[in-house]
């Protein structure tokens, strides 16, 4: 799918317009694919479960989890996934799956916080299910509570409990949940890429979903990728399905109903909510021990870190140096990975969690560096910039993420825009410290010299390698920015400029920045013949 294809339907476009993100349709076609890239194929094949959304024979929307033995998901090619598993007859989507149906799906790794989504047509096979993929794209790791999984027997004997509203135990279940999955759909033009269903993840502090009555829920909608797949679907078709997971027992709580979008949350709602999804419940299905998986929170792996330094890199970006409060070594990480942190903000109920890329050298045992942009509406980034001082503490889980250097000796083109340079600086540290030389280009785009964080550090690192080059783009250079000295190109980074570097067919392109930036670069590289598996990217959104 190229950036000339509009992948959105009228409801999604209306939601984007209402939220002030009307330009998304101009570039998102270069970010949403009509196939599974190799990285996604490998990812889905490694999962122990998959979340799927669809409609039953009555047209009601449901979401479910499908699990299986190790390797039960396979990706025989870029257009198909197969699932070697049996569907429980108690599943509200069992009949629809047996007959073949449109589905939306999300694969999620709770341990690493990685998630990807796709939609397509499902068919029943002799050994399970097969899905023909229509759309595919990745999601950022925000709002995911980390958990590690293990296997346990399913409870196939207990009958499903059917109700038209929530009972007290189900209400308590929801009020203590920090994770849910949501399904929505749009069945307009069957030839349009947006046709079908969507499954997505929602997370937050325990109790982030409010039960206002046995047949009413309020779900906060936080800042995200601005595609507005869920909200847009609900504007076009109010049918909604959600599922809550009991991570201790493997039980599932399925809910179907109709949704209404509140665009101006009240003062009593979650403070970070940009919108509220209000649900009128039509039916509830509780399935005890539905899946053979159990999850434990990774809180035991969380450690306390003290802020040892604060360095103001630009007017918007500050680096925070974190050292383990217990004096022990920090856990190692791979260049490009991120650090999940948790902070207690005064006046807020519960803790706030965010994930920030590590910007320091990966072999630094004394601690970590996070270089964080202050977002005007970002709850956590504003707190860090405005309130957190040297000596204060934060909680951090082990580094995670798979946006890492993919090869040991291949040429690397590190490309970033704005605060997207943070994982690239870490990668540059890693390359410079290697014992063998390899070509590397550090390409960065900023508004001007005042906005280029860690520029001297980058220049010093590049200067230590004979096969390293630094190319700087300024879109709005200041009078004191001299072409040929402080920067190399006036304008924005594009694929043509990257190709002119002459990195060769064996080069891997590592991209990090806003989704619009990534979409344009990726599309341009692929159209010029760069193979998709040579392009790796990490996006960020206005989550703060």
């Amino acid at each position: 799918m190229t950036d000339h294809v509009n992948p959105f339907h009228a409801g999604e476009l209306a939601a984007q317009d209402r939220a002030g993100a009307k330009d998304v349709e101009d570039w998102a076609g270069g970010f949403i694919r009509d196939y599974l890239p190799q990285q996604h194929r490998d990812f889905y094949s490694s999962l122990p479960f998959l979340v799927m959304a669809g409609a039953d024979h009555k047209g009601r929307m449901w979401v479910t989890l499908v699990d299986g033995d190790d390797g039960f998901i396979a990706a025989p090619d870029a257009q198909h996934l197969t699932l070697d598993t049996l569907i429980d007859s108690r599943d509200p989507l069992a009949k629809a799956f047996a007959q073949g149906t449109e589905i939306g799906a999300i694969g999620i790794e709770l341990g690493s916080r990685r998630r990807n989504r796709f939609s397509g047509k499902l068919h029943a096979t002799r050994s399970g299910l097969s899905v023909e993929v229509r759309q595919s794209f990745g999601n950022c790791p925000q709002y995911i509570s980390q958990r590690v999984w293990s296997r346990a027997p399913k409870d196939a004997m207990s009958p499903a409990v059917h109700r038209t509203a929530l009972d007290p135990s189900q209400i308590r279940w929801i009020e203590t949940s920090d994770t849910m999955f949501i399904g929505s759909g749009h069945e307009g033009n069957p030839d349009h890429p947006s046709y079908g269903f969507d499954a997505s993840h929602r997370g937050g502090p325990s109790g982030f979903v409010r039960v206002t009555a046995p047949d009413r829920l309020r779900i906060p909608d936080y800042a995200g990728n601005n595609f507005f797949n869920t909200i847009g679907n609900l504007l076009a078709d109010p049918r909604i399905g959600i599922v809550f997971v009991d991570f201790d027992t493997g039980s599932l709580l399925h809910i179907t109903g109709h949704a209404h979008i509140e665009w101006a949350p009240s003062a009593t709602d979650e403070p970070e909510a940009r919108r509220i999804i209000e649900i009128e419940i039509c039916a509830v299905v509780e399935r005890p021990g539905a899946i053979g998986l159990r999850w434990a929170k990774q809180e035991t792996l969380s450690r306390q870190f003290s802020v040892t330094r604060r360095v103001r890199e630009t007017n918007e970006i500050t680096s925070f140096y974190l050292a383990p409060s217990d004096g022990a070594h920090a856990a190692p990480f791979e260049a490009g990975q991120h650090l999940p942190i948790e902070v207690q903000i005064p006046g807020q109920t519960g803790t706030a969690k965010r994930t920030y890329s590590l910007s320091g050298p990966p072999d630094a045992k004394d601690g970590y560096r996070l270089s964080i942009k202050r977002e005007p509406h970002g709850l956590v980034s504003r707190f860090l910039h405005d309130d957190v001082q040297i000596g204060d503490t934060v909680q951090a889980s082990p580094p995670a993420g798979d946006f890492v250097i993919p090869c040991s000796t291949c040429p690397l083109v590190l490309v970033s825009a704005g605060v997207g340079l943070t994982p690239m600086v870490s990668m540059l540290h890693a390359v410079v410290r290697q014992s063998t030389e390899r070509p590397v280009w550090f390409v960065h785009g900023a508004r001007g010299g005042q906005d280029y964080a860690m520029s001297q550090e980058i220049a010093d690192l590049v200067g230590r390698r004979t096969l390293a080059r630094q190319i700087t783009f300024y879109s709005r250079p200041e009078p004191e920015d001299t072409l040929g000295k402080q920067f190399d190109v006036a304008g924005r980074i594009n694929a043509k400029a990257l190709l002119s570097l002459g990195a060769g067919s064996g080069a891997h392109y590592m991209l990090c920045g806003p989704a619009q930036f990534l979409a344009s670069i990726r599309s341009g590289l692929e159209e010029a013949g760069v193979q998709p598996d040579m392009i790796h990217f990490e996006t960020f959104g206005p989550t703060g």
Side-chain angles (χ1 to χ4, degrees):
M1 191 174 293
T2 71
D3 56 355
H4 300 295
V5 177
N6 171 21
F8 302 113
H9 61 72
E12 292 167 321
L13 295 174
Q16 293 164 11
D17 189 21
R18 179 73 182 263
K22 194 172 182 178
D23 66 327
V24 172
E25 65 174 301
D26 297 331
W27 54 262
F31 193 72
I32 300 175
R33 306 169 187 260
D34 55 4
Y35 65 94
L36 296 173
Q38 187 62 50
Q39 292 168 301
H40 288 203
R41 293 168 64 186
D42 295 341
F43 169 72
Y44 288 119
S45 299
S46 70
L47 296 177
F49 75 99
L50 190 66
V51 181
M52 294 196 288
D56 66 10
H57 62 288
K58 296 182 180 180
R60 299 177 300 183
M61 184 72 60
W62 297 97
V63 187
T64 191
L65 272 67
V66 177
D67 66 333
D69 296 332
D70 291 348
F72 86 103
I73 302 176
D77 56 56
Q79 299 296 149
H80 296 87
L81 285 178
T82 60
L83 285 71
D84 183 10
T85 188
L86 297 176
I87 303 301
D88 190 334
S89 61
R90 301 172 300 169
D91 194 309
L93 287 173
K95 291 182 179 179
F97 285 174
Q99 297 170 357
T101 184
E102 295 287 337
I103 64 155
I106 181 169
I108 187 167
E109 234 175 33
L110 295 176
S112 66
R113 299 188 178 197
R114 186 181 175 192
R115 55 181 172 175
N116 293 307
R117 287 154 72 176
F118 69 86
S119 63
K121 179 73 173 181
L122 179 146
H123 304 276
T125 66
R126 289 184 178 180
S127 60
L129 304 170
S130 175
V131 183
E132 183 179 354
V133 174
R134 179 181 294 110
Q135 278 191 341
S136 171
F137 60 95
N139 273 173
C140 69
Q142 298 288 6
Y143 308 113
I144 300 177
S145 295
Q146 284 185 291
R147 287 179 165 87
V148 292
W149 62 271
S150 60
R151 294 197 179 276
K154 294 184 181 181
D155 182 3
M157 302 300 294
S158 297
V161 178
H162 294 258
R163 298 179 56 86
T164 57
L166 299 168
D167 67 22
S169 67
Q170 293 165 345
I171 292 174
R172 288 193 296 272
W173 183 343
I174 294 172
E175 289 178 339
T176 57
S177 293
D178 61 11
T179 301
M180 58 164 283
F181 299 98
I182 188 166
S184 57
H186 172 75
E187 297 180 286
N189 180 358
D191 296 324
H192 194 277
S194 66
Y195 180 83
F197 298 111
D198 175 73
S200 66
H201 162 273
R202 290 291 190 277
S206 295
F208 76 105
V209 178
R210 291 178 53 206
V211 182
T212 57
D215 63 347
R216 295 276 179 175
L217 300 176
R218 290 175 67 81
I219 303 172
D221 186 59
Y222 302 124
N225 60 14
N226 284 339
F227 290 174
F228 290 97
N229 304 107
T230 298
I231 299 297
N233 282 340
L234 296 175
L235 289 182
D237 183 342
R239 293 177 301 163
I240 191 170
I242 59 176
V243 66
F244 292 91
V245 184
D246 186 325
F247 293 108
D248 295 326
T249 68
S251 300
L252 299 179
L253 181 62
H254 308 269
I255 296 172
T256 188
H258 294 88
H260 168 73
I261 309 301
E262 291 187 11
W263 291 91
S266 68
T268 60
D269 288 309
E270 174 71 27
E272 292 188 79
R274 303 291 180 89
R275 292 150 294 273
I276 294 292
I277 304 172
E278 184 170 18
I279 298 177
E280 180 183 357
I281 296 172
C282 298
V284 178
V285 177
E286 181 178 343
R287 296 167 56 207
I291 55 176
L293 299 170
R294 305 292 183 267
W295 285 267
K297 276 195 172 183
Q298 288 186 309
E299 291 176 341
T300 55
L301 301 178
S302 178
R303 297 172 65 185
Q304 186 181 80
F305 285 77
S306 300
V307 178
T308 59
R309 291 176 62 197
R310 282 178 50 121
V311 176
R312 188 184 185 191
E313 307 287 3
T314 70
N315 288 335
E316 295 181 323
I317 299 174
T318 294
S319 287
F320 297 84
Y321 290 76
L322 308 177
S325 298
D326 58 11
H329 288 322
F333 68 94
E334 289 190 71
Q337 288 190 309
H338 52 252
L339 186 72
I341 68 168
E342 187 173 354
V343 295
Q344 178 66 63
I345 300 176
Q348 300 294 325
T349 302
T351 57
K353 301 176 181 179
R354 288 295 184 273
T355 299
Y356 296 110
S357 294
L358 290 149
S359 62
D363 56 356
K365 296 180 180 180
D366 55 345
Y368 304 128
R369 180 176 69 180
L370 300 178
S371 302
I372 299 170
K373 179 182 178 182
R374 187 187 191 278
E375 299 287 352
H377 302 291
L379 181 69
V380 175
S381 67
R382 286 188 292 116
F383 171 70
L384 292 171
H385 275 250
D386 300 345
D387 299 293
V388 172
Q389 302 299 324
I390 294 173
D392 290 340
T393 61
V394 300
Q395 291 293 124
S397 298
D402 60 357
F403 181 65
V404 296
I405 298 173
C407 48
S408 58
T409 60
C410 65
L412 287 179
V413 184
L414 308 178
V415 187
S416 58
V419 74
L421 91 169
T422 52
M424 302 308 182
V425 176
S426 184
M427 290 184 187
L428 186 61
H429 272 282
V431 170
V432 168
R433 295 185 184 207
Q434 285 182 324
S435 59
T436 58
E437 287 271 10
R438 68 162 158 189
V440 59
W441 291 261
F442 193 96
V443 185
H444 181 64
R447 288 185 296 254
Q450 295 297 317
D451 301 296
Y452 193 169
M454 298 175 280
S455 58
Q456 188 58 54
E457 176 181 338
I458 293 163
D460 292 343
L461 288 169
V462 169
R464 290 165 57 185
R465 283 285 180 174
T466 58
L467 296 182
R469 286 185 59 197
Q470 180 181 5
I471 302 93
T472 303
F473 289 69
Y474 284 171
S475 60
R476 286 184 284 173
E478 300 291 338
E480 61 270 21
D481 295 328
T482 304
L483 182 64
K485 187 175 180 181
Q486 278 85 14
F487 69 106
D488 303 289
V489 183
R492 301 181 186 277
I493 302 172
N494 55 53
K496 182 179 180 180
L498 297 180
L499 293 166
S500 71
L501 299 175
S505 59
H508 283 257
Y509 294 81
M510 312 298 295
L511 316 177
C512 188
Q516 181 175 2
F517 165 79
L518 299 181
S520 175
I521 299 292
R522 186 191 69 82
S523 294
L525 291 175
E526 289 189 1
E527 288 173 3
V530 178
Q531 294 301 308
D533 60 357
M534 308 296 279
I535 306 171
H536 315 265
F537 54 82
E538 182 101 314
T539 186
F540 55 81
T543 52

